[in-house]
Amino acid sequence: MVMTRLWNVHVNRRNAIICFGIVGLIVYRCIGIFSMQPGEMSQSRTEGLNANSSQFTLDGVALRILGGSAHYFRIPRAHWKDRLLKMKACGLNTLTTYVPWNLHEPGRGKFDFQNQLDLEAYIRLAEEVGLWVILRPGPYICSEWDLGGLPSWLLRDKDMKLRTTYPGFTGAVNSFFDELIPRVAPLQYMRGGPIIAVQVENEYGSYAKDDRYMAFIKEALLSRGIRELLMTSDNREGLKVGGLDGVLKTINFQKLNPKAIQYMDTVQPQQPKLVMEYWSGWFDLWGDLHHVFPAEDMVAVVREILKQGMSVNLYMFHGGTNFGFMSGALALTSVLRAMVTSYDYDAPLSEAGDYTPKYHGLRELLSHYHSDKLPETPALRWRKAYKAVNMNLHMPLWETLRFAEKPFISATPVNMENLPVNSGNGQSYGYTLYETTVTSGGALNSWNNVRDRALVFVDQVFIGVLDYRTVELAVPDGKGVRKLSFLVENCGRVNYGKVLDEQRKGLVGDVALNNIPLKDFTIYSLDMNPAFINRLGSMIWRSRTNAPSFPGFFQGWLQVTGTPSDTFVKLLGWSKGVVFINGRNLGRYWSIGPQQTLYLPGPWLRSGSNQVIVFEEQEAAAKLQFDANPDLGMAVDV
Ligand code: GLA
C-alpha cells in the first residue's frame, strides 16, 4: 500500500515534470524567450540553424543573422579578442571567417594550425565573446588573397585545373580537408560549439568550369562530419548558375539590388534571405586611389536589408592587413593589377581597430534589433608615432645571395613554382633572380613572359623595368662577357576571374636578345622568408655611404620604452620594397600609392631594441619614420 502510494507520487511528479518540460519547450520554441547564446545549454541542443521558413531558426527560435567578417589571418593574434569584442559591442551576433588553404598548407602535406593560424582558438574565442560562427572553408576563398587562397604548389602540375574535379586538384583538396575538417567539426552547433553554418566554396557561379565540382566539395564536407546548414554565396551575375540542390543560396552586393532579391524569392520562396557579403567598403590596387563608401550610404542599405526582413553579413566588418606577400591581384584585362598591403577596406572597424562613423552608425541601427542594451564599446588602445629610425646599415642585394637557397642552373628559364626549392614545393612568393650572360648589346624582349615585374641589370647596373606594359628594353653595347640579371617580383596572384590556372610567376617562358632566346640561367629564389632575414640580420653590415647600391637591404633599430604600442611605418623618401620588423614581413610598400604607411602591430614589437630591415628596390631615405595614423592615400567613392 505504502509502496503503491509512493509509486503514485513518483509517477505524478514525473508526469508533472514532463508536462512542465513540454509546456516550457513549446513556450521556448514559439516565443523564443530564451535566446540561446554561444557556449550555453550545449546539452539541450536539438536542432541547428534551420532555413525551412522565411526566418532562420536556431533550436526553433527565430534568429536574424547579424554577421561580420573578420579574418584571423589578417589580424595579429594578440588583437583577435579586441576585434571580436568590438564586433559584439556593435550589435553583431555572428562572425564569418574564411580559411586560407595556402597559409595552412605551405608545402604539400606540411600543415600549420598554430599561433597566428590557430583556427580552433579563434572560433573558441568567438564563442567566448558570444558570437555564432559561419565558417567559409573554401577551398577557394577569393578575398583579395594570393590565388584566392589556393596554394601555389598546385601550379607545379602543368595540367592543373583549379576549382574543378581534375584529380590533381580534388586529391589535394581531400588531403587538406582531412586535416582541416576534423579540427572544426567538433565546434559545430550540434556538438556544443558556435559554428551554425558552413559555406560550400565561394562564388562558384562566377567560375563555373565544371558542373560536378560543387557536388564534390559538398560531399567532401559531409563525408567528414559537417552537419550544420550548408550555404553557397554568389554575386548577382553568378547567382543564376551558382548554387547546389539542398544548399541555401545567399547573395553578395553593395548597392541594394531589387532584381537579385526578387530572384531569391523565385528560387527560394519561403526561405530566409541572407546577404552573405554586404560589401561595407572596397579594396585598393597599387597605382590607384583609396576606395571609400560613405557611412550614411552603407548604414542606409543595411537598414533597408533589415527592414525587408533579411539577414546580413558585413564583408568586411574589420578588414585587417595582407601581411607578407599574401595580397592578391586582379586581371580584368591582360594587365595584372596588384592589391595593396592594407585591407582596411573602409570597413566599420579600421585596420588598426579604430571605431569609424560607419561603426557608430551601424551600432545605433543594430541597437534596435536587441532587447538588451549593447555591451559598452571597448576602450581604444594607444598608438604611437615612434621616433624616426636611422637606417644607416646597408647590404647590397648581390651580397645576400649567399644566404639564399642554393641557386638552380637551367638552360631555359623556370617559373618560380617549379624551382627545386622549399622541399620540392617550389617558390611561392617574393622575388626570383634570373642571371645569364651576354656578349653584345641590342634589343631585349620579354616576349611578355615576365610575371609580374622585372628590374633588369647589366653587370649590376640598372637598365630598366620590364612588365606587362613594357616588353622591350635596350641593352647598351659593351665589351666582353657581361652579366644580365632579371630580378622578377611576383606582385600577387590573381584571386578572382577565370585565369587562375595561369598564375605561374617569375619568368614563365623565354626572353630574347635580338630575337634569340637567352640560355643558361642561374636562378636564385628570394622569397625573403624569416630564416633568410634572420641569417641576414646576424651578418656584419656596412655603414651606409652617400650612394648605397640598389636593390639593397637597410637596417636600423627601433627603440621602444615600456609596453609597445601599435604604430604605422611611414615610407617617406622610400620608393618600393618590403619592411621586416624583428623578422616579420609587414608587407609591400610602393610610393605610387595609394597606401603610404604600413600597419605595425604593437604586439610584434618588444620593449627595448627592435630590428628593422627594409628591402628597397631603388631609392632609400636616411630614416624610417613612424606615425600614429595611417595614410591610405587619396580617396575616391566606390
Ligand atoms: C567577392 C568575394 C570576396 C571578396 C569580395 C570583394 O564577393 O567572395 O572574397 O573578394 O568579392 O571584396
Side-chain angles (χ1 to χ4, degrees):
M1 177 74 172
V2 175
M3 283 297 283
T4 320
R5 276 182 54 193
L6 275 180
W7 175 244
N8 284 343
V9 169
H10 175 74
V11 168
N12 287 343
R13 192 191 290 154
R14 199 189 60 183
N15 288 347
I17 290 171
I18 291 173
C19 251
F20 187 73
I22 290 172
V23 171
L25 200 66
I26 291 169
V27 171
Y28 154 66
R29 288 197 158 227
C30 298
I31 308 176
I33 48 170
F34 307 120
S35 87
M36 177 110 60
Q37 288 294 311
E40 274 176 21
M41 304 188 347
S42 48
Q43 314 79 343
S44 60
R45 296 180 176 190
T46 56
E47 188 193 40
L49 194 66
N50 180 306
N52 290 336
S53 58
S54 62
Q55 284 296 326
F56 288 109
T57 58
L58 189 59
D59 251 321
V61 183
L63 175 74
R64 166 101 67 157
I65 295 170
L66 303 171
S69 293
H71 300 145
Y72 56 104
F73 47 97
R74 287 180 154 131
I75 309 169
R77 182 168 179 166
H79 288 339
W80 283 355
K81 191 162 187 181
D82 174 71
R83 307 311 192 239
L84 296 183
L85 285 170
K86 287 172 177 165
M87 182 180 280
K88 181 79 179 171
C90 192
L92 297 178
N93 59 20
T94 305
L95 164 73
T96 56
T97 184
Y98 280 135
V99 178
W101 180 7
N102 51 10
L103 289 187
H104 287 293
E105 195 178 353
R108 195 184 279 277
K110 201 175 118 206
F111 296 99
D112 185 358
F113 285 88
Q114 301 293 310
N115 308 317
Q116 186 63 49
L117 293 177
D118 192 341
L119 171 61
E120 291 143 278
Y122 187 62
I123 296 173
R124 284 280 179 220
L125 199 59
E127 175 180 49
E128 185 190 316
V129 165
L131 294 164
W132 300 114
V133 174
I134 297 180
L135 194 69
R136 313 176 78 197
Y140 162 83
I141 61 170
C142 193
S143 197
E144 290 69 75
W145 197 250
D146 190 276
L147 203 57
L150 303 175
S152 64
W153 46 259
L154 289 167
L155 297 172
R156 288 173 69 80
D157 174 351
K158 66 175 182 10
D159 299 321
M160 177 54 67
K161 288 176 193 61
L162 301 169
R163 303 179 75 194
T164 70
T165 51
Y166 172 70
F169 186 70
T170 51
V173 172
N174 279 330
S175 12
F176 174 52
F177 275 12
D178 280 348
E179 197 65 32
L180 170 70
I181 304 301
R183 293 171 186 272
V184 292
L187 300 173
Q188 293 178 96
Y189 179 79
M190 288 303 289
R191 293 174 68 176
I195 298 177
I196 53 171
V198 176
Q199 186 181 302
V200 186
E201 240 270 353
N202 194 72
E203 291 193 334
Y204 196 69
S206 313
Y207 198 70
K209 289 195 180 178
D210 180 340
D211 49 20
R212 290 176 306 145
Y213 172 67
M214 285 296 275
F216 158 74
I217 298 292
K218 178 183 171 191
E219 187 49 33
L221 295 168
L222 294 178
S223 62
R224 290 172 177 84
I226 294 298
R227 293 287 172 271
E228 302 303 328
L229 186 69
L230 295 181
M231 299 173 164
T232 53
S233 149
D234 277 289
N235 58 28
R236 193 184 40 174
E237 293 78 43
L239 205 53
K240 298 228 158 95
V241 269
L244 264 172
D245 286 346
V247 174
L248 187 76
K249 291 184 177 56
T250 68
I251 49 176
N252 304 338
F253 60 71
Q254 182 159 67
K255 314 258 158 79
L256 252 196
N257 188 329
K259 285 222 174 93
I261 295 168
Q262 274 164 20
Y263 179 78
M264 297 299 284
D265 275 329
T266 10
V267 286
Q268 287 180 170
Q270 291 310 308
Q271 289 205 272
K273 286 195 273 298
L274 166 61
V275 184
M276 175 62 97
E277 287 185 25
Y278 171 60
W279 300 316
S280 64
W282 203 240
F283 54 81
D284 295 342
L285 302 165
W286 288 120
D288 204 349
L289 296 170
H290 169 49
H291 291 107
V292 295
F293 180 43
E296 316 77 68
D297 297 359
M298 190 213 82
V299 175
V301 180
V302 179
R303 179 175 294 118
E304 189 54 32
I305 291 173
L306 297 178
K307 213 166 109 198
Q308 293 192 20
M310 297 189 262
S311 279
V312 68
N313 172 59
L314 281 107
Y315 186 97
M316 303 290 297
F317 167 75
H318 168 57
T321 311
N322 299 318
F323 292 113
F325 292 124
M326 299 314 295
S327 45
L330 266 192
L332 299 179
T333 64
S334 57
V335 175
L336 175 130
R337 309 284 314 274
M339 305 282 165
V340 302
T341 301
S342 169
Y343 202 59
D344 178 90
Y345 210 84
D346 195 31
L349 198 64
S350 79
E351 180 176 14
D354 286 342
Y355 301 116
T356 65
K358 278 183 186 166
Y359 182 96
H360 295 300
L362 193 63
R363 184 167 189 264
E364 200 287 316
L365 171 66
L366 297 181
S367 67
H368 302 293
Y369 288 83
H370 292 268
S371 46
D372 298 337
K373 215 166 151 271
L374 292 179
E376 288 300 314
T377 49
L380 288 179
R381 288 157 194 253
W382 274 108
R383 271 202 308 278
K384 207 164 165 173
Y386 286 104
K387 203 164 149 261
V389 169
N390 285 324
M391 300 298 288
N392 49 14
L393 295 175
H394 176 55
M395 202 182 289
L397 171 77
W398 318 111
E399 286 177 25
T400 65
L401 299 180
R402 61 202 156 108
F403 307 124
E405 270 198 62
K406 211 167 120 255
F408 177 56
I409 312 291
S410 169
T412 52
V414 174
N415 58 289
M416 62 154 68
E417 298 78 3
N418 286 89
L419 291 173
V421 292
N422 188 16
S423 318
N425 290 289
Q427 183 185 344
S428 294
Y429 313 107
Y431 295 78
T432 311
L433 179 69
Y434 295 80
E435 296 198 321
T436 181
T437 52
V438 289
T439 49
S440 78
L444 180 66
N445 198 310
S446 72
W447 288 351
N448 198 17
N449 280 324
V450 169
R451 301 283 180 281
D452 301 297
R453 187 172 183 269
L455 304 183
V456 186
F457 305 84
V458 175
D459 280 345
Q460 303 184 350
V461 176
F462 176 67
I463 61 161
V465 175
L466 290 172
D467 59 15
Y468 293 90
R469 290 198 175 92
T470 311
V471 293
E472 232 182 81
L473 275 184
V475 175
D477 287 332
K479 286 208 184 90
V481 176
R482 292 174 301 158
K483 192 181 270 179
L484 181 67
S485 313
F486 302 82
L487 180 65
V488 186
E489 184 197 357
N490 162 4
C491 296
R493 294 188 183 82
V494 161
N495 58 275
Y496 179 79
K498 303 230 181 195
V499 293
L500 294 181
D501 293 342
E502 294 153 35
Q503 295 308 305
R504 295 181 184 85
K505 299 290 187 176
L507 291 183
V508 296
D510 286 327
V511 288
L513 184 64
N514 302 324
N515 266 322
I516 302 171
L518 291 163
K519 295 277 176 225
D520 300 327
F521 286 89
T522 302
I523 309 173
Y524 295 85
S525 158
L526 296 168
D527 61 4
M528 303 198 184
N529 62 41
F532 170 80
I533 296 295
N534 284 339
R535 278 199 296 277
L536 268 195
S538 60
M539 293 297 129
I540 298 179
W541 291 53
R542 283 199 215 138
S543 284
R544 172 179 179 161
T545 61
N546 287 339
S549 141
F550 292 102
F553 290 85
F554 295 82
Q555 190 179 196
W557 297 90
L558 167 63
Q559 303 303 332
V560 172
T561 32
T563 312
S565 304
D566 281 13
T567 184
F568 285 90
V569 183
K570 193 159 120 191
L571 282 310
L572 204 68
W574 298 78
S575 151
K576 183 176 189 312
V578 192
V579 177
F580 301 87
I581 305 272
N582 295 326
R584 283 187 194 252
N585 183 338
L586 294 191
R588 302 178 179 92
Y589 64 87
W590 197 351
S591 56
I592 62 169
Q595 165 174 19
Q596 302 293 337
T597 50
L598 288 176
Y599 175 52
L600 167 51
W604 292 2
L605 293 170
R606 49 178 168 256
S607 182
S609 264
N610 293 272
Q611 182 199 51
V612 183
I613 291 182
V614 177
F615 171 67
E616 166 60 52
E617 295 179 10
Q618 273 176 322
E619 179 192 348
K623 290 175 192 262
L624 194 66
Q625 306 194 29
F626 296 87
D627 205 319
N629 293 304
D631 177 357
L632 295 175
M634 197 190 285
V636 61
D637 279 3
V638 180

